Amino acid sequence: MLSRLLGRPLISSVPRSAFSPVRSLLRSNVCASAMMKRLASTERISSSAADDLLVSQRKVRPMSPHLTIYKKQLTFNMSGAHRILGIAMSGTIYCGLIAYAVLPLVGYPFTITDVAAYWSAAPEAIKTAAKLICAFPFTFHMFNGFRHLLWDTGKGLSLKGVYTTGYIVLGLMTLASFGMVFGN
């Protein structure tokens, strides 16, 4: 394109003699012997010696910084929280169901009336804390699930949209959690 603007080919404007030192160096054996010279040597060692060498190298090798070098962003935190809280909530439900089924078989009473009696005897601060511990993950996972359903329609996928919906999820989670715990 530049050659069209100038009206003449660019390569013809460079004299051929400018390339002659490079050509002569490439043709000489000096360049070829330098490229073929072996700079490292190897030796055969046993597999146990190779394992020992590898272990000693790993001891002085720096650990990869992987997650520690990145700035934690809203998208990173919300994605991890969505997955971790989903696993934690489902694990809690499974453990509760297994306990409800197995504990009466081994002689420990674990019926709904026993749970209700234990719960009513607990101090108010414990009840409030337990409700918040249950409400925050539930509402976060629910509203973030709605956010993912919105993304499935193709909406809110821009960087601004992702952050906007993220902050909306955090606000709705907070309001709904406190509404569930402190509302009548």
Side-chain angles (χ1 to χ4, degrees), residues 91-123:
T92 302
I93 290 171
Y94 283 126
C95 288
L97 291 175
I98 290 170
Y100 188 73
V102 172
L103 287 179
L105 297 176
V106 293
Y108 292 105
F110 192 70
T111 62
I112 295 297
T113 54
D114 294 328
V115 173
Y118 176 77
W119 187 252
S120 64

Side-chain angles (χ1 to χ4, degrees), residues 63-152:
M63 181 187 283
S64 175
H66 62 294
L67 295 177
T68 59
I69 64 171
Y70 296 111
K71 178 184 173 189
K72 301 292 189 283
Q73 298 176 346
L74 179 72
T75 53
F76 172 86
N77 291 329
M78 289 187 71
S79 176
H82 186 78
R83 295 165 194 224
I84 291 168
L85 293 176
I87 291 169
M89 287 188 303
S90 62
T92 302
I93 290 171
Y94 283 126
C95 288
L97 291 175
I98 290 170
Y100 188 73
V102 172
L103 287 179
L105 297 176
V106 293
Y108 292 105
F110 192 70
T111 62
I112 295 297
T113 54
D114 294 328
V115 173
Y118 176 77
W119 187 252
S120 64
E124 197 61 36
I126 299 293
K127 290 181 192 178
T128 303
K131 288 178 188 179
L132 280 173
I133 288 171
C134 292
F136 273 114
F138 176 75
T139 56
F140 172 76
H141 200 75
M142 180 184 68
F143 288 124
N144 207 33
F146 291 149
R147 178 180 179 216
H148 280 269
L149 290 174
L150 178 72
W151 287 350
D152 289 342

Side-chain angles (χ1 to χ4, degrees), residues 53-66:
L53 178 64
L54 183 62
V55 167
S56 67
Q57 288 174 346
R58 286 182 178 164
K59 287 180 182 176
V60 296
R61 187 181 302 161
M63 181 187 283
S64 175
H66 62 294

